[in-house]
Amino acid sequence: MLAEALVLSAILFVIGTLGVLVRRNAIIMFLCIELQLNAVNLSFVALARYLGIEGQLYVFFVMTVAAAEAAVGLAIIISIFRHYESVNVENFNLLKW
Amino acid sequence: MSASTLPTVVASVAQGTGSGFDPVLPGLILLLPLLGFALNGALALVSGSRSATALREGREEAGHDSGGRPLTHTLPTWIGPGVMLAAFLLTLVNFVGMLGVELVEPVIRSYWTWMATGALSIEAAIQLDQLSLIMMMVITGVGFLIHVFSVGYMKEDPGYPRYFAYLNLFVFFMLILVMGANFPMMFVGWEGVGLCSYLLIGFWFRDREKADAGKKAFIVNRVGDFGLLVAMFILFAVFGTLDYQGIFEAAPDTLVYGGATVTAVTLFLLLGAAGKSAQVPLYVWLPDAMAGPTPVSALIHAATMVTAGVYLVARSSVLFAMAPVGAAAVATVGAVTALFAATIALKQYDIKKVLAYSTVSQLGFMFMGVGVGAYAAGVFHLMTHAFFKALLFLGAGAVIHSMHHALHATHKDWDAQDMRNMGGLRRFMPATWITMWVATLAIAGIWPFAGFFSKDEIIWYVGTSAPASVLYTVLWGMAIATALLTAFYMTRMMVMTFHGPNRTGADEAKHLHEAPPNMTIPLGILAVLSVFGGWINVPGSVRESFFGGFGFLPMSDWLDRWLEPLTATAYQIRVDQLGAYASTSPVGGGHVLWGAIATGLALAVVIIGARAVASREIRPAVESPEPTGFGKVLHDKWYVDELYDRIIVRPIQALSRACWRWIDQVIIDGTVNAVGSVARGFGWFGSLVQTGQMNTYAFILTLGALVILGVLIL
Amino acid sequence: MTLDFASNADYLWALLPEIVLSAWAMVVLLAGVRRPHETPASPEVMAWLSLAGIAIAAGVNGWLYGVTSTDPTAMITVDGFRLFANWIFLLGAALTILIAPPYVARQRLQAGEFYTLILLGTVGMMFMGGTQNLILLFLALETMSVAAYVLTAYNRRDRRSAEGGLKYFLLGSFSSGFLLYGIALVWGATGSVHLPEIGATVEAGAGFTGLLLAGMALLLIGFAFKVAAVPFHMWTPDVYEGAPSPSTAFMAAAVKAASFIAFVRVFMEAFPALYESWYPIMWWLAALTMVVANVVALSQTNVKRMLAYSSVAHGGYLLVALAAANQMAMAGLLFYLLVYTIMNVGAFGVLMVVSNYGEDRLQVEDYAGFGWTRPLLAVLFTIFLLSLAGFPGTGGFMAKIYLLQGAVDSHLWTLAVLLVLTTVVSYYYYLRVAWFMWMRPAPEGQTPGSYWAPLPLSLALIAGAGIILYLGIFPSGLLDGAMAGAEGLGLVRDTLLGLNP
C-alpha cells in the first residue's frame, strides 16, 4: 500500500515537473508547481500511516506555504501582465545573457 | 591601528637576536612611506574633488588657475621626499648597526599573528638580514633620489599629489616585499607593487594607449602571480610552514636533491619571478610600461620592482641549489632574455624603449647569475644596475623634459622621446650629458665603473659553470654576445641623443635647457655611485692587479662576505653536488686576464660604435624612412606582441564569448530544441516546439537534478 | 541561563532575537502606513527605525551567548553556528537598509513595506540558521524566499523588475518543490525530521537506503538552486539584474549566506555518514561553479550582471568548503560569508550611486572618470572590488586563504588550485571596473555629483570598507569566533574515506 502511494506521488511529482518544463503560461506553470507540492503532500500523508500522525501535520504547513506562495505569485503575475499584456513566459526575455 | 602596534614593536622581539644586533625601529621604516601615502592621498582626493568642482563650474582645472600653486601641490613636495629621506636615514642606521656585528641568524620582528589556522600560523613579521638590508638601502636610497627628481619633473602635472601618493605607496609595498619574513608577507608586497605599478603606468590615463599599457602589465603579472601562489602551496604542503626560516632550514633534509617536488617549486617560483622581472616569455609588459612618467620607470621598472624576481630567487637560493633543473631553467631564461632584448634595443628610436629593453636584458643577466649559483653576484648586479639604470632613466627624463618644453614652446608636433629628433644635446645639457656617459660606461662594463665588476662577475661565473654541460657553454656565449651588444646600443643611444648636429630645429633649440638643480643633483649622486658602487665586491686576485689599483684603491670583496650567511647553505649544496666552480677562468687565464679582455672588448665596441653611428646621417623621425629587412623585424620587436595577440588574447576572448553565446545559445537551446523535437515525435507535448528562456532554465535545472539523482541512486 | 525546553516558554527565550525582529517588523509596517493623500513615509526615517530593530535583535543575539541549551532534541538550537550566522544576517540586513533610502526615495517605492520585507526575510534566515528540524527549515526558507520574491518584483513601474520577480518566483518555488520532496523522502526513510536524529539513524545504517539517497539528492538539488551552483544558477543573473539594486544586494549577500548556512547544517548534521556519496557531487558543483561563473563574468559589460556572476563565483568558492567539510573549512565558510556580505552590499551601494539610484548607467563605461568626479566613493568601491577579487590586505584575501586552508586540510588539491586559478582570472573583471574609474577620463559634458553620498549610505560604505581592511590585517579575532561557531560541524575526511593523511 505504501509503495503504491509513494509511486503515485512520484508520478504526480514528475507530471508537475514536466508541466513546468513544457508549459508557457505562467499561471499554468505555477499550478504545476502546486501539483508538485501536493504530490509531496501525498507522500507525507501516506508515510504518516507508518511513521506517526505528525506527517499529516506537515501537510498543513505545506499548504500554508503554498497559499502564501500563491498570493505572492499571483500578485507578481498580475504585475507583469500590466507591463506585457501577456502571461506567456516566452515574451519575458528582456533579461538575458 | 598602526599607532597602537608601534609600542608592541619593541616589546615583542621574537627570536634570533642573540648576535647583538638590535634593529632601530624597523617598523617605522615601513610606516613612514605609508604615512606619506595617507597624507598625499588625502591631498590628492581634496585636489581631485576641487578640480572636479572647478570643472563643474566651467573653470579650468585647479592647480593652474590662480598662478600660485595651491597647498595640495606644495605640501607633497615636502611630504613625499621627506618620508623617503627619513626612511633612508633609519635604514642607514640599521645598516651601520648590522655592519658592526657578525649576524648569523636573521633578526625577525613579529608584530601580530596575521593568519592562524590549525596547521598554519603566519605572523605579520619582518626580517632584517644582510639581503633585506641591501635591498632596503637600494629602495630607500635610490627611491629618495627619484622622489627628489620627481619634484622637478612632475611640477606642472595637475595630478602632482596623486603621483606622490602612488609613489609612496609603492615604496611601502616594495619594503614589505623585501622585509617580509615569510612568503605570504612577500606576496602582499608582491601584489601591492604590482597594483602601484599598474596605477603609475596608467598615470596619464587620459591617453588611451597609456591606460592600456597599465592593463597589459596587470594581466601579464597575474600569470606570474599564479606561479608564485602554486609554489607557496607546494611549499606549505611539504613543510607545513611558509616562514623563510622554517623552510630554508628544513629544506636540505626534507627535500631530495633534484627531486620532483623541489623542481616543481622552483619552476613555479621561476614563473612568478619571470612575470615580475619581465623575463621571456612574460617580458612584454615592461616596454609598454614606459608609458608612465619617466621617474616611475626609473624607480619601479628599472631599479626596484622588476628586480623582485631576482630577489625571490636569491632569497630561495637553498631551493634553487637543490633543483639543478630549476636553476638551469633560471639561467637559460635569463640568457635568452638578455640576448633577445638586447637585439631589440639595437633598433629602437624611442629613448625610453632603448632603456626598457636594456633593462629587460640586464635583468636577464641577473637571472643568469642567480641561475648558476652566483647569488651574491646576482644581487651585486641588481644593486649596481639600480644605480646606473636609474641614472639613465632620470637622465632620459631630463632630456625628454627639455625636449618637451622646446617642442611645446613652438607647438611643434614631434615626438619628444624619439632620438632621431634630438642630437647634439650635449651643448644644452652638459650635466645630463656627462652623468649619462658615466652610466653608459658603467652598463657597458668598462673598468672601473660599477657595471664592469658586477656584470663581468656574472659572465665569469656562467663561464666557470661551462664544464658542467654544453648548455652553460652556450649560455656563456650568449652572455658575452649580449655584453657586446649592450655596449653598442648604449653608445648608439648616447651618440644619437647628445652628439652630432642638433636636429630639433632652430627655433626649438633656443628653448632647450639644462634641468633644474633638483633634477641634476640626483643625477650627480647616482653618477658617483655608478663609478664607485662596483668597488664593494672585487675578488682578491683582481684587487692585487692593475684592475684593483694594486691594492691602493679602496676595493674589497665585502658584498660576497656580507651575504655569506645567506648563501652559504646553497653554496655548500652546490659544492657537494657539483663540485662547484673551477678556480680558473673559462679562457684559461685568471681573473685579471679575463678582466682585461672584457674591458678591452667593451671599450672597442664603444669606440667603434660611436664612430659608426656618428658617421651615419640621421634625419628627424618624420623624414626617416621605415626600417626594412631584418632591421624592421628588430624594430618591431620580433613581432612578439602580435604573436601573443593571435595565440592568447584573441582565443581567450573568443572562448569567453563562446561560453555565453555559443554554448548557451547553440548547445543548450539546441539540446532543448532537440529534446523538444523528439518529444513532438512521440506526440506527447504538442506545444513543445519553441523554447522560452524561463523554460530553458527549468530544463537545465531538471537536467542537473536528474544527473545528481542518477549519480547518487545508481 | 540554561534552557531544557521542558516548558514551551523556553522556546520564547531561545527564539528571542527572531521574536523581537518579527515584532519590530510589524512596528515598521504600521509606522509606514499613510492615507492616500498624505506624504509617504520618509525612507530615511523608516531606515533608521528598521535599524533600531536590528540593533535590538543584535543585542539579544549577543545575550544568547550566555544561554545554554541542554536538550539536543529541541527544534531550535542555541549553538555558536547559529549565533555567528545571525551576525551575518543582521549585518547584511543592516547594511542593505542603510544603502536603500536614496534608491527607495528616488524610485518612489513604499518605504514601510520595503523595510518590513527585509526584516521579515531576515527573520526567515535566522530561523534557517537556528533550526534543526527539516520542516521548520522549509518554513523558514519559504519565509525568506517569499520575501525575496516580493523584493525582486518590488519596483512595479519597472518591467524588468517584474520579469526578474516572475522568473525568481517560478524557478524558486520549482526548486522548493524538490527540496520539500527531499524532506518527505528523508523523513520516510529515517522516521525523523530532526537533523541529529537523522544523522544517528543514517550512521547506524538503519533506514531505507534508496529512499534516503533519493531524499538526500533532492535536498542537495534544492540547496544547489538556492546557493546558485552551476548548473542551477541560470536564474541568478536575470533576477539580480532585474531586481531593484538594494534587493539585489540583499539577495546576493544575505539570502545566499542563509542558504549556505542551512546547506551546511543539513549536510553536516544529518548526512556526515554519507559523505562518500555526496562529496563527489559537491566537488563537481564547486569546480563547475568556479570555472563557468568566472569565465562568463569576463565577458559581461553590465556591472550589475557582472556582480551577479561574481556572486555565483563566490558561491563556487564556498562550495569548496562544503566539499572539504572539516572544521577549518566550516570556519572559513563563516568568515567568508561575513566578509562577502559586507563587500557585496558595499559594491552594490556604490553601484546605486553611479546608476543615479535607478537602473540606468550600469555599463562599465559609465564608470569612466568616476574616480575623479566622486573620489571618496571611488576609493571605497576600489576597496570592495579588491576585496572581492581577494587582494592581499583585505578581508576577501583572508577569507580565501581560510577556505584554501580547509581544502588543503582535506587534501582537495585540485579544487584548491582551481580556486587560486579562477581567483586570478577574476582579478580581470573586478579590476576592469577600477580601471575605468581611475584610468579613463569622465565623458565630456557630464556633471559630477556631490562629493558625499547621503548619510546612511556613506555610513554603511565607510564602515564596510573599514571592517574589510581591518579583517585583512587583523583577522584572528573573527576567525577565532568562526572556529568556535564551527565547533562540532567538521568531519575528518581522511577517516571517512579511509585515506591516509
Side-chain angles (χ1 to χ4, degrees), chain C residues 190 196-207 212 269-274 491 496:
Chain C
T190 62
E197 276 173 20
I198 297 172
T201 315
V202 172
E203 186 147 20
L212 182 65
E269 289 193 353
F271 304 119
L274 293 173
L491 312 170
L496 282 169

Side-chain angles (χ1 to χ4, degrees), chain B residues 319-466:
Chain B
L319 301 175
F320 281 90
M322 296 196 71
V325 177
V330 172
T332 311
V333 164
V336 170
T337 312
L339 185 60
F340 186 71
T343 60
I344 296 175
L346 290 177
K347 260 311 198 193
Q348 297 302 310
Y349 290 111
D350 184 323
I351 185 168
K352 285 185 75 180
K353 283 276 159 73
V354 176
L355 292 176
Y357 281 105
S358 162
T359 304
V360 174
S361 177
Q362 295 302 311
L363 288 166
F365 266 108
M366 297 173 210
F367 268 62
M368 258 191 275
V370 293
V372 298
Y375 304 107
V379 173
F380 182 33
H381 193 51
L382 184 162
M383 193 189 80
T384 58
H385 176 259
F387 298 149
F388 56 69
K389 190 52 68 67
L391 171 52
L392 283 168
F393 266 114
L394 294 185
V399 168
I400 294 167
H401 195 64
S402 180
M403 285 288 292
H404 191 77
H405 269 269
L407 295 174
H408 193 70
T410 57
H411 303 287
K412 197 169 191 175
D413 186 22
W414 277 12
D415 186 353
Q417 302 191 19
D418 197 312
M419 296 189 298
R420 286 170 297 191
N421 300 337
M422 299 174 182
L425 293 184
R426 70 176 188 280
R427 289 191 295 280
F428 306 102
M429 352 183 34
T432 311
W433 172 57
I434 292 171
T435 50
M436 279 185 81
W437 260 116
V438 170
T440 303
L441 294 179
I443 196 176
I446 289 170
W447 182 88
F449 296 96
F452 167 76
F453 297 102
S454 61
K455 186 157 66 169
D456 289 31
E457 188 182 351
I458 289 176
I459 299 179
W460 163 280
Y461 274 115
V462 177
T464 52
S465 301

Side-chain angles (χ1 to χ4, degrees), chain A residues 9-10 30 33 36 40 47 51 55 58 61-62 65 69 72-73 80 83-84 92-97, chain C residues 135 139 142 146 156-157 159-160 163 166-167 169-170 173-174 180-181 184 187-188 193 238 296 305 309:
Chain A
S9 147
F30 177 59
I33 291 168
Q36 285 181 310
V40 179
L47 286 165
L51 294 174
Y58 300 156
F61 285 119
V62 176
V65 166
E69 276 193 346
V72 167
I80 200 166
H83 285 294
Y84 287 89
F92 311 149
N93 53 7
L94 210 58
L95 301 164
K96 56 189 170 198
W97 291 86
Chain C
I135 296 296
L139 284 177
E142 284 299 318
V146 168
R156 283 180 298 133
R157 294 176 201 88
R159 63 167 60 188
R160 289 193 296 181
E163 181 180 329
L166 183 69
K167 283 183 177 171
F169 165 70
L170 282 180
S173 27
F174 186 51
L180 182 65
Y181 201 18
W187 178 59
V193 289
D238 287 11
V296 175
R305 218 172 162 81
Y309 278 109

Side-chain angles (χ1 to χ4, degrees), chain B residues 459-495:
Chain B
I459 299 179
W460 163 280
Y461 274 115
V462 177
T464 52
S465 301
S469 80
V470 185
L471 174 72
Y472 289 102
T473 315
V474 175
L475 297 188
W476 184 58
M478 289 166 82
I480 292 176
T482 310
L484 298 180
L485 289 177
T486 308
F488 178 76
Y489 67 69
M490 288 308 299
T491 309
R492 169 178 174 271
M493 185 197 89
M494 288 304 292
V495 172

Side-chain angles (χ1 to χ4, degrees), chain B residues 436-661:
Chain B
M436 279 185 81
W437 260 116
V438 170
T440 303
L441 294 179
I443 196 176
I446 289 170
W447 182 88
F449 296 96
F452 167 76
F453 297 102
S454 61
K455 186 157 66 169
D456 289 31
E457 188 182 351
I458 289 176
I459 299 179
W460 163 280
Y461 274 115
V462 177
T464 52
S465 301
S469 80
V470 185
L471 174 72
Y472 289 102
T473 315
V474 175
L475 297 188
W476 184 58
M478 289 166 82
I480 292 176
T482 310
L484 298 180
L485 289 177
T486 308
F488 178 76
Y489 67 69
M490 288 308 299
T491 309
R492 169 178 174 271
M493 185 197 89
M494 288 304 292
V495 172
M496 284 183 81
T497 309
F498 287 103
H499 295 262
N502 180 264
R503 294 179 292 274
T504 316
D507 290 342
E508 288 74 20
K510 286 179 204 142
H511 297 279
L512 289 170
H513 57 83
E514 181 59 276
N518 59 9
M519 288 164 76
T520 48
I521 289 172
L523 293 181
I525 296 173
L526 285 169
V528 171
L529 289 169
S530 300
V531 179
F532 300 109
W535 293 13
I536 59 164
N537 198 28
V538 180
S541 58
V542 172
R543 268 205 315 279
E544 283 151 23
S545 72
F546 169 74
F547 289 105
F550 302 102
F552 295 122
L553 294 180
M555 294 184 179
S556 76
D557 58 348
W558 172 80
L559 188 68
D560 263 341
R561 284 185 287 112
W562 171 252
L563 289 175
E564 214 174 270
L566 290 160
T567 54
T569 319
Y571 186 71
Q572 194 56 44
I573 293 168
R574 289 182 72 91
V575 170
D576 293 346
Q577 300 288 342
L578 302 170
Y581 308 105
S583 55
T584 51
S585 85
V587 284
H591 287 82
V592 182
L593 176 63
W594 167 245
I597 294 173
T599 203
L601 272 175
L603 205 56
V605 170
V606 169
I607 293 167
I608 297 169
R611 291 181 162 225
V613 176
S615 67
R616 294 223 326 248
E617 193 196 347
I618 307 164
R619 297 216 202 109
V622 283
E623 300 165 22
S624 299
E626 280 286 300
T628 52
F630 190 58
K632 180 167 167 55
V633 176
L634 291 184
H635 180 73
D636 292 337
K637 306 146 197 163
W638 295 94
Y639 300 104
V640 171
D641 281 338
E642 287 77 6
L643 184 74
Y644 281 7
D645 188 52
R646 287 278 160 75
I647 65 173
I648 298 174
V649 178
R650 287 191 207 177
I652 288 179
Q653 284 175 344
L655 178 73
S656 178
R657 228 174 287 133
C659 268
W660 65 268
R661 196 157 277 162

Side-chain angles (χ1 to χ4, degrees), chain B residues 14 36 65 167 175 212 312 328 392 436 523 650:
Chain B
D65 48 3
L167 221 52
L175 286 172
D212 277 343
L312 175 64
L392 283 168
M436 279 185 81
L523 293 181
R650 287 191 207 177

